[in-house]
Amino acid sequence: MIKNWFKNLWPDSYIVFSQVPEGMNVTEYINSSGSVETVEEESFVLEDDRISTEMVEYVRDFLSAYPKTQLIYLTSAQSCSAVGTCSKAEMAQMDVDTSIIKTICKGEFSSYISTMDLENDNMLFKPLELDYIYSPFFLVDEVKSDYPGTALICLHRQNQLIISIYKEGKFIYGDHVVISALEEFEEDQEAGEEIEDDLDADFDLDELDDSDLDDLDDLDDIEEMEDEGMEDDLEEQIEEDDMEQDAELKEYDLKIYSAIKESIEKFYGDESVQSDFVEYMEILDTVALSRNIYELIKDEIFCEVDSRNIDLHREVLELMLKDT
Amino acid sequence: MAKLSFITPKKKSLLDIESKILIVFLIIAATLIIGFSTFLFVKSYAKGSSSEDMSKQIAVMSKEIERYKYQARQIQELRLKADEVYTTNELLRESIKNLFDLVPDQITLTRSIMQKKRLVLYGVTPSKEVYNFMLLSPLKSIFHENKTTFYSLENGWYRFVSVNILHGETGVAQ
């Protein structure tokens, strides 16, 4: 009875953090009468690679009301990756320096993070004290759909890809790709050709015939056009802006595609794992990619692609609840 | 215990350090209040029981006092009686002394009965005249009523019985 009274007074509460390029996303949850409900979602910018004082105050306000709140962070550390073994000896054979990492084993695979990045994650949240730091590979392992063959599961966070490859449901390969760390897109010949093709399709002068040339206005009409000019200029400017934005989006999508492709190539070329042809790909999307990328993957990588939008923080919370 | 987290969660406390200090002080204050209340309760209970004892003692003492008062009254009465007896005796002694002072040398008293309002004298007198002049006169000045009876003896003397009676309040003790 006293336990229930305490539960009602101080219900289980959680705050989930995840880092994005713009700063830190924060979601507060409360377990009220058995169901975990979202209280509030907020985003904060970082100040000198630390959480802002505004965010500290925000979290402390919640902590003062719910002192038993668990602070959970899904790490974004670049050193965080995963391998298909729990044996340190086998990890050493895969060129993983086990002396400078913290490893957590889950079933038959393990995820690791460098002790320095782990310390950085803790420092990032000073003066708050985190309770849990989870690897995104464990999140992928919990959220993924089952597939009988070789499947690539890709968790897409803004500017980050967590790539896990499973064979018969068993984890065999993991890769953590940070998009901003990729080489400049223009240097990627293959992806560059794709963009050129797209642009050529819109502006190929060779494809214009005589009737099209007749439709062009004479030079005499230019003065008239100047009179009507202002509104047209504005419309053109907007169209140009839209095109620029589309191009940026397309560039990002292509970077994602390129990263996935590179990761698959690395997987195929990795002698430490038993490579197999990737038959299925599931993209767990937290940002909303454009549909074009799925078509591109289907056409270029020749595998079945499914995508699923997930609530990242909710899934992290579910992982933590399952883990404790 | 989280198995998949890179760090171990720290133990959460419901209260911050300030609240803990406040609660410790509240507990101390509550303990003191409860202790003091208990002390007062015990004391008042002890007082209650002792006052009950005192009441009983007072009742016993009251009875004792009543008894002593009664005894004192009795003693007082006895004392008064003793005083009275003493006074009476004194009076009687005076009366006897006076009586014997009254009796002349020629007359011999053989017996006297002194009652409160009556004096009876038995004796021997050489003659009736001696008796009448020397004893009867003073008796008459004291008693209201005098009756004397003479019996002649062989030697010519007279045995007499004198009954003297007082009227009213005054008289002599037996």
Side-chain angles (χ1 to χ4, degrees), chain A residues 155-188:
Chain A
L155 171 67
H156 171 232
R157 300 171 69 181
Q158 187 67 47
N159 286 6
Q160 271 195 10
L161 292 178
I162 304 298
I163 292 168
S164 298
I165 298 177
Y166 290 84
K167 187 177 181 183
E168 310 295 338
K170 185 188 167 193
F171 183 94
I172 54 170
Y173 179 80
D175 194 12
H176 185 170
V177 185
V178 179
I179 306 297
S180 57
L182 287 174
E183 290 178 0
E184 285 300 312
F185 177 71
E186 285 76 13
E187 291 174 13
D188 188 327

Side-chain angles (χ1 to χ4, degrees), chain B:
Chain B
M1 182 69 186
K3 293 173 186 168
L4 301 179
S5 171
F6 285 119
I7 57 170
T8 310
K10 286 154 198 75
K11 197 175 179 184
K12 296 276 176 185
S13 174
L14 286 173
L15 305 166
D16 56 15
I17 187 72
E18 288 169 6
S19 305
K20 278 179 184 170
I21 290 168
L22 184 68
I23 283 175
V24 166
F25 275 105
L26 284 176
I27 288 169
I28 290 169
T31 310
L32 287 175
I33 289 167
I34 290 167
F36 191 65
S37 305
T38 311
F39 173 75
L40 286 180
F41 177 76
V42 169
K43 270 282 172 191
S44 74
Y45 182 76
K47 282 266 180 194
S49 67
S50 83
S51 76
E52 201 173 315
D53 288 347
M54 293 290 276
S55 300
K56 282 178 184 173
Q57 279 187 5
I58 287 168
V60 170
M61 295 296 271
S62 298
K63 280 181 183 174
E64 286 280 304
I65 288 166
E66 286 299 316
R67 196 164 61 82
Y68 284 126
K69 275 183 179 174
Y70 176 71
Q71 282 182 352
R73 272 202 305 274
Q74 277 187 328
I75 289 165
Q76 189 74 15
E77 281 173 13
L78 284 173
R79 190 176 149 271
L80 285 172
K81 273 186 182 174
D83 285 349
E84 197 179 317
V85 167
Y86 177 76
T87 310
T88 308
N89 287 347
E90 278 293 307
L91 284 172
L92 191 61
R93 192 175 66 83
E94 284 295 317
S95 299
I96 289 168
K97 187 173 173 281
N98 289 337
L99 175 66
F100 288 136
D101 288 343
L102 282 176
V103 178
D105 296 338
Q106 295 89 337
I107 293 171
T108 305
L109 288 179
T110 56
R111 188 181 170 199
S112 76
I113 298 169
M114 297 181 81
Q115 291 176 329
K116 201 173 182 181
K117 293 188 176 179
R118 207 165 76 129
L119 174 66
V120 181
L121 295 171
Y122 294 87
V124 181
T125 177
S127 65
K128 287 183 184 178
E129 288 77 18
V130 171
Y131 171 79
N132 287 333
F133 283 110
M134 297 189 75
L135 184 60
L136 185 60
S137 297
L139 286 173
K140 274 189 175 178
S141 65
I142 298 165
F143 297 96
H144 297 109
E145 196 177 331
N146 309 94
K147 285 178 183 174
T148 310
T149 307
F150 296 98
Y151 303 96
S152 61
L153 296 171
E154 288 176 356
N155 58 359
W157 286 35
Y158 293 90
R159 188 180 293 274
F160 65 88
V161 177
S162 174
V163 178
N164 305 284
I165 296 165
L166 272 174
H167 297 306
E169 292 297 313
T170 56
V172 293
Q174 191 170 3

Side-chain angles (χ1 to χ4, degrees), chain A residues 57-72:
Chain A
E57 288 303 313
Y58 177 79
V59 173
R60 277 185 174 163
D61 280 351
F62 192 75
L63 286 174
S64 63
Y66 303 99
K68 296 199 87 171
T69 302
Q70 309 284 344
L71 306 185
I72 311 155

Side-chain angles (χ1 to χ4, degrees), chain A residues 235-252:
Chain A
E235 282 170 11
E236 279 170 19
Q237 185 64 43
I238 290 166
E239 279 172 17
E240 277 173 20
D241 288 348
D242 288 345
M243 280 176 66
E244 207 170 292
Q245 208 169 357
D246 286 347
E248 277 175 13
L249 273 175
K250 204 170 276 182
E251 187 179 333
Y252 181 75

